[in-house]
């Protein structure tokens, strides 16, 4: 008998690898052997495939069936291999054309009645199939619209195993079945949070504009009710729409997490706000079996907001240090290493002390100096040093509310247009470099002879560096903020005022 061959995709992180599925039928007692490092869910495919084929009316060999998943050393997870295993077995049995099966990547989980169930991770799997040179991918009907978001790939949606067999030339009569559809996409909120809702705190609003324009990380310190959460929630609205590559990556992460994707790619930057009880695996990613992305990966190309940052375990916060530097989240296991994108903007908010009232004009703090130092000491110095903008946010007074001029407030739409112009200026300046945002530019390049501002311009940060007020990493981050301020103001290069304002945004929390 011939050996049937089909192809599926094994996902490790956001990257997929083509898995060749070989099926062999031998004249021995009926048995179904699945080899090639399957996990528990994939190992159960033996019973699902046999029941689905029998109940679909396409039959199943009453001999020994050996299915090999190659490469054998690659870990394989989940039930998305069911369709490929079933078709490879039927091709080995002579029911289907083996050449037709071999040209297509098959993805989908089989129900016992033969219907195909939608699976998570269709989008990155189809991207991997296209990268491997396959032009056709067969998926469940419930994943058809999601798979069609990948360009230059022919997507075939089938409702059942019988439909897949008929599509490959099987001589069977079609039987209509009710397809299993993916859950509907939640309705988008009607109204977007607007920056004009923020009263007072002009310095914090300007800091949010700078953060959005340059991709800078932000730390806000202030008492409860100062508006820290309100400001953080409005930062994603200031960011421009995602480009095609980022939109595909964000949608792929949603797909990998089992979240509905919809009929179009996600164009708006995401916002993730995990609770302070989140574990390191929930924030960064992990899992005992299949490695799943955490909140930091899901926030890629968007904002990761950590409210009450000192309440997070120190080990969880310090796990962010590597992604903040590299923009990539790497999760190591004994048999594999998974990589996820980690190009998020980190926004942290904290109270100044356990009672939250230290420095507030209208309340008295009851905490001792030692408890205040211990509380903020939960955020390590190396992590804080990686945060570009560090500012204090104060409560607004009743006088500020009465005197607030609504016409002077900046709307999210107007601020986004200003941010877009600053980003376009930075992208034009960095067109011949690997970077596009000021926050990603290394300090060595900023301090090069061609880019370094004049000594009179950097005099303030030169003195701060000599006196130990900032580290060398902090020096470079002030330069990045200064370039962003120049882009927002339409300047060609930062001047002394831009550098001074940048130093203030870097050190305002400590003033």
């Amino acid at each position: 008998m011939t050996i049937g061959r089909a192809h599926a995709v094994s996902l490790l992180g956001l990257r997929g690898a083509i898995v060749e599925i070989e099926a062999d039928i031998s004249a021995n007692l009926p048995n179904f052997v699945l080899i090639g490092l399957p996990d528990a869910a994939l190992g159960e495919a033996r019973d699902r495939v046999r029941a689905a084929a029998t109940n679909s009316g396409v039959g199943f060999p009453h001999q020994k069936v050996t299915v090999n998943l190659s490469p054998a050393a690659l870990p394989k997870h989940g039930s998305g291999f069911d369709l490929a295993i079933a078709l490879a077995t039927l091709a080995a049995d002579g029911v289907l054309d083996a050449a037709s099966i071999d040209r297509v990547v098959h993805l989908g989980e089989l129900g016992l009645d033969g219907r195909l169930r939608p699976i998570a991770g269709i989008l990155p799997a189809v991207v991997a199939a296209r990268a491997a040179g396959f032009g056709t991918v067969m998926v469940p009907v419930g994943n058809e619209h999601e798979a069609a978001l990948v360009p230059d790939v022919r997507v075939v949606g089938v409702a059942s195993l019988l439909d897949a067999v008929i599509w490959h030339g099987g001589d069977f009569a079609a039987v209509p079945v009710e397809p299993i559809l993916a859950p509907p996409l939640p309705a988008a909120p009607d109204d977007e949070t607007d920056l004009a809702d923020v009263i007072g705190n002009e310095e914090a609003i300007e800091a949010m504009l700078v953060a959005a324009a340059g991709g800078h990380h932000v730390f806000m310190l202030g008492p409860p009710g100062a508006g820290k959460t309100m400001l953080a929630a409005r930062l994603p609205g200031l960011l421009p729409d995602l480009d095609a590559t980022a939109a595909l990556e964000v949608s792929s992460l949603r797909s990998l997490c089992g979240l509905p994707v919809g009929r179009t790619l996600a164009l708006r930057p995401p916002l993730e706000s995990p609770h302070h009880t989140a574990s390191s695996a929930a924030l960064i990613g992990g899992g005992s079996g299949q490695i799943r992305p955490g909140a930091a990966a899901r926030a890629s190309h968007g904002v990761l907001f950590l409210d009450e940052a000192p309440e997070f375990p120190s080990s969880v916060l310090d796990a962010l240090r590597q992604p903040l530097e590299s923009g990539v989240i790497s999760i190591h296991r004994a048999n594999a290493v998974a990589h996820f994108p980690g190009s998020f903007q980190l926004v942290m908010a904290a109270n100044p002390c356990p009672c939250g009232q230290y420095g507030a004009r209208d309340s008295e703090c009851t905490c001792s100096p030692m408890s205040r130092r211990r509380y903020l000491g939960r955020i390590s110095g190396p992590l804080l040093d990686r945060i570009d903008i560090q500012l204090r946010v104060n409560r607004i007074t009743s006088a500020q509310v009465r005197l607030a001029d609504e016409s002077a407030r900046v709307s999210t739409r107007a601020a986004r247009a200003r941010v877009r112009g600053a980003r376009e200026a930075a992208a034009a300046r960095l067109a011949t470099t690997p970077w596009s945002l000021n926050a990603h530019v290394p300090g060595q390049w900023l301090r090069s002879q061609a880019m370094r501002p004049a000594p009179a311009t950097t005099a303030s940060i030169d003195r701060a560096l000599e006196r130990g007020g900032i580290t060398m990493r902090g020096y470079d981050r002030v330069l990045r903020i200064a370039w962003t301020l120049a882009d927002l103001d339409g300047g060609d290069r930062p001047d002394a005022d831009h550098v001074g304002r940048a130093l203030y945004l870097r050190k305002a929390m400590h003033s």
Side-chain angles (χ1 to χ4, degrees):
M1 290 188 179
T2 60
I3 293 179
R5 287 184 173 85
H7 296 89
V9 175
S10 175
L11 291 173
L12 184 60
L14 206 57
R15 301 174 185 174
I18 295 295
V19 174
E20 184 181 62
I21 298 173
E22 302 172 304
D24 175 71
I25 300 175
S26 56
N28 293 322
L29 292 174
N31 194 9
F32 196 139
V33 179
L34 185 63
I35 57 178
L37 208 61
D39 69 347
L42 180 51
E44 294 170 350
R46 294 186 294 264
D47 300 315
R48 287 195 301 270
V49 168
R50 186 187 298 275
T54 302
N55 294 330
S56 298
V58 299
F60 196 82
H62 295 288
Q63 296 161 295
K64 181 180 180 181
V65 178
T66 303
V67 174
N68 178 44
L69 310 176
S70 179
L74 180 70
K76 303 163 191 75
H77 307 279
S79 56
F81 298 84
D82 289 3
L83 179 60
I85 292 173
L87 294 176
T89 303
L90 294 175
D93 200 27
V95 176
L96 297 177
D97 179 15
S100 177
I101 301 291
D102 196 28
R103 291 193 298 266
V104 180
V105 171
H106 301 88
L107 305 167
E109 175 187 341
L110 286 171
L112 297 184
D113 58 356
R115 291 188 298 171
L116 280 169
R117 300 180 181 277
I119 60 173
I122 278 288
L123 203 54
V126 175
V127 170
R130 181 189 63 179
F134 286 89
T136 306
V137 178
M138 182 175 287
V139 301
V141 168
N143 292 127
E144 185 175 5
H145 294 296
E146 180 182 333
L149 296 175
V150 182
D152 304 323
V153 175
R154 180 188 179 190
V155 176
V156 179
V158 291
S160 65
L161 175 60
L162 180 59
D163 290 347
V165 169
I166 294 173
W167 191 89
H168 280 296
D171 188 16
F172 297 92
V175 177
V177 297
E178 182 179 355
I180 303 175
L181 302 179
L185 191 68
D190 294 333
D191 54 340
E192 185 184 53
T193 55
D194 201 297
L195 192 63
D197 298 336
V198 181
I199 301 175
N201 282 325
E202 286 79 9
E203 291 178 352
I205 293 174
E206 184 67 18
M208 290 296 108
L209 282 172
V210 174
H216 304 287
H217 308 303
V218 182
F219 182 84
M220 293 182 286
L221 185 72
K228 303 185 295 296
T229 303
M230 175 181 277
L231 287 163
R234 279 148 182 78
L235 179 56
L238 305 181
L239 303 177
D241 287 343
L242 302 175
D243 59 29
T245 302
L248 182 59
E249 197 168 79
V250 169
S251 298
S252 296
L253 284 164
R254 287 186 58 86
S255 175
L256 192 61
C257 295
L259 302 173
V261 175
R263 296 173 180 263
T264 59
L265 293 175
L267 295 179
R268 294 301 304 147
L271 170 65
E272 289 288 331
S273 182
H275 193 260
H276 59 75
T277 56
S279 65
S280 185
L283 186 63
I284 299 298
S288 57
Q290 187 172 1
I291 301 175
R292 292 291 186 182
R298 297 194 300 272
S300 190
H301 303 291
V303 176
L304 175 65
F305 176 47
L306 303 184
D307 200 5
E308 306 292 348
E311 301 294 339
F312 283 81
S314 298
S315 59
V316 174
L317 291 178
D318 285 338
L320 293 171
R321 286 159 58 177
Q322 182 262 337
L324 288 178
E325 288 292 328
S326 65
V328 177
I329 297 172
S330 299
I331 301 174
H332 294 254
R333 292 293 181 267
N335 59 349
V337 180
H339 300 283
F340 297 105
S343 55
F344 54 86
Q345 278 187 254
L346 177 64
V347 179
M348 295 197 300
N351 295 328
C353 62
C355 77
Q357 306 305 323
Y358 181 68
R361 293 185 292 263
D362 54 352
S363 300
E364 183 178 353
C365 175
T366 60
C367 305
S368 66
M370 180 61 71
S371 65
R372 291 197 294 266
R373 285 195 298 269
R374 190 184 303 116
Y375 184 72
L376 291 179
R378 298 177 185 176
I379 305 174
S380 67
L383 176 61
L384 270 180
D385 205 31
R386 288 168 166 83
I387 308 299
D388 298 2
I389 299 173
Q390 302 176 16
L391 70 151
R392 179 178 290 273
V393 182
N394 296 314
R395 293 193 187 114
I396 62 171
T397 63
S398 58
Q400 288 176 302
V401 175
R402 290 194 306 270
L403 298 176
D405 184 4
E406 293 188 9
S407 62
R409 299 181 198 171
V410 181
S411 68
T412 292
R413 178 175 297 182
R416 189 189 302 165
R418 189 181 171 196
V419 167
R420 188 183 301 112
R423 287 200 172 199
E424 289 172 355
R429 181 176 64 254
L430 302 172
T432 59
T433 71
W435 318 289
S436 59
L437 291 175
N438 291 324
H440 300 160
V441 178
Q444 183 179 0
W445 191 80
L446 288 175
R447 289 181 272 106
S448 64
Q449 187 173 0
M451 301 304 299
R452 184 182 178 90
T457 303
T458 61
S460 58
I461 55 175
D462 291 337
R463 288 193 300 270
L465 180 63
E466 291 173 1
R467 296 171 181 172
I470 57 174
T471 64
M472 196 66 224
R473 180 187 280 128
Y475 186 98
D476 293 338
R477 294 188 184 279
V478 172
L479 285 179
R480 293 171 186 169
I481 299 172
W483 276 104
T484 300
L485 288 167
D487 292 334
L488 283 169
D489 292 343
D492 294 332
R493 299 179 70 88
D495 55 26
D497 178 63
H498 293 137
V499 174
R501 288 160 58 194
L503 181 60
Y504 174 78
L505 288 175
R506 174 74 180 173
K507 303 293 289 183
M509 185 184 76
H510 307 283
S511 59

